[in-house]
Structure formats: structure tokens, C-alpha cells
């Protein structure tokens, strides 16, 4: 699934990432696997902002994807802009756009589908009314289209 996002999407969190040398590969650019860590960092910050530490986190990541647009390199500072683009019955989707902080060059875009999950029963569960209400506050109202 490829997402084309409207650049006016409301960002739920902007996360700055300093690219370490160990995140690059033999070609000198950021390794393709590192982008997923950057997206995870942004999601984690969002989750921390809406869920109190004592609460049990009952999410699993069901799908992640990344489209690579431009190269990034060690010692750059990147910004992950994350938006909540869909709330379903049992899952929600967070879209990410990764920019070089100074030039605002788009480096990559991706998304993650997060599913509410009962670990004891090992099955997906509906999003609770409380979580749905919390998520709805961050839902972007602009359009996202699949292509």
C-alpha cells in the first residue's frame, strides 16, 4: 500500500533524530533498516504522550512500510513528522514523513498499522472507548489517498 499524503496533515509529534555513523552502510548513506527505528522512536513518543506509564500497553505493530525518497547521511539531523491518519475498529494507522531538518528535503515516508491486542487470549480486540476518544483528538482531518 503506497500512501500519498497531503502535506497539510496535522502532525501529532515531530521527532528530531541525529544520524549516527553506525546507522549507515558501506555506501555511506543511512541503511534501509534504520528508517524503521526512526519511525518507531516517533511512535513511542506519541504513545508516551497519550498513555500513562502504569497502564498496560496492549498494542502490536501489524504492518510497517517505508518508501525511500532521498538519501540521508551520518551527522545529519532528521525530523520525523507523524500523523494519525486512520482509526478503525481494532487498529489505527500512523503515517510518518522523514525530512532533513535544515533543508526540509523529504527523505522517506512510511506508515505503521497498530492493532489493539489481548496478549492472554492472543487475539486482536476492539479499540477501547477511552483510547478511541484520546486518538480522535489527534486524527488528521485532511485527506490521505492510497495509490
Amino acid at each position: 500500500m503506497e500512501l500519498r499524503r497531503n502535506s497539510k496533515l496535522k502532525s501529532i509529534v515531530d521527532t528530531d533524530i541525529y544520524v549516527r555513523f553506525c546507522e549507515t552502510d558501506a555506501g555511506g548513506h543511512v541503511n534501509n533498516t534504520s528508517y524503521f527505528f526512526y519511525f518507531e522512536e516517533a511512535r513511542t513518543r506519541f504513545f508516551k504522550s497519550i498513555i500513562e506509564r502504569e497502564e498496560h500497553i496492549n498494542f502490536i505493530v501489524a504492518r510497517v512500510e517505508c518508501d525511500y525518497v532521498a538519501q540521508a547521511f551520518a551527522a545529519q539531523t532528521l525530523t520525523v513528522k507523524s500523523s494519525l491518519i486512520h482509526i478503525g475498529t481494532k487498529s489505527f494507522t500512523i503515517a510518518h514523513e522523514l525530512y532533513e531538518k535544515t533543508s526540509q528535503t523529504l527523505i522517506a515516508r512510511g506508515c505503521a498499522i497498530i492493532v489493539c491486542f489481548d496478549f492472554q487470549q492472543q487475539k486482536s480486540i476492539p479499540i477501547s472507548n477511552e483510547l478511541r476518544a484520546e486518538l480522535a483528538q489527534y486524527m488528521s482531518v485532511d485527506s490521505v489517498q492510497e495509490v
Side-chain angles (χ1 to χ4, degrees), residues 23-143:
E23 296 164 347
T24 62
D25 60 19
H29 57 257
V30 172
N31 185 278
N32 62 296
T33 61
S34 296
Y35 294 87
F36 294 97
F37 293 119
Y38 304 157
F39 295 160
E40 180 184 34
E41 174 72 17
R43 283 193 310 275
T44 301
R45 288 183 186 215
F46 172 60
F47 293 150
K48 279 184 80 173
S49 73
I50 66 166
I51 298 171
E52 293 189 26
R53 196 66 147 145
E54 302 82 42
E55 289 186 54
H56 180 70
I57 296 176
N58 59 345
F59 303 144
I60 59 170
V61 176
R63 179 184 174 120
V64 291
E65 60 185 60
C66 181
D67 294 327
Y68 306 98
V69 178
Q71 296 182 72
F73 301 94
Q76 285 183 312
T77 299
L78 308 177
T79 300
V80 182
K81 296 179 183 233
S82 302
S83 302
L84 185 61
I85 60 169
H86 176 76
I87 303 172
T89 304
K90 297 181 178 184
S91 67
F92 55 96
T93 304
I94 299 176
H96 304 288
E97 291 180 334
L98 182 67
Y99 294 90
E100 196 285 322
K101 186 173 183 169
T102 304
S103 69
Q104 287 298 295
T105 300
L106 179 64
I107 302 295
R109 66 173 62 91
C111 72
I113 299 174
I114 312 300
V115 175
C116 290
F117 195 77
D118 182 320
F119 288 93
Q120 288 188 329
Q121 295 183 34
Q122 289 294 295
K123 66 178 189 174
S124 61
I125 57 174
I127 297 172
S128 70
N129 291 336
E130 297 82 14
L131 179 58
R132 181 176 300 283
E134 187 69 33
L135 291 172
Q137 296 177 52
Y138 297 96
M139 182 68 183
S140 183
V141 294
D142 291 336
S143 64

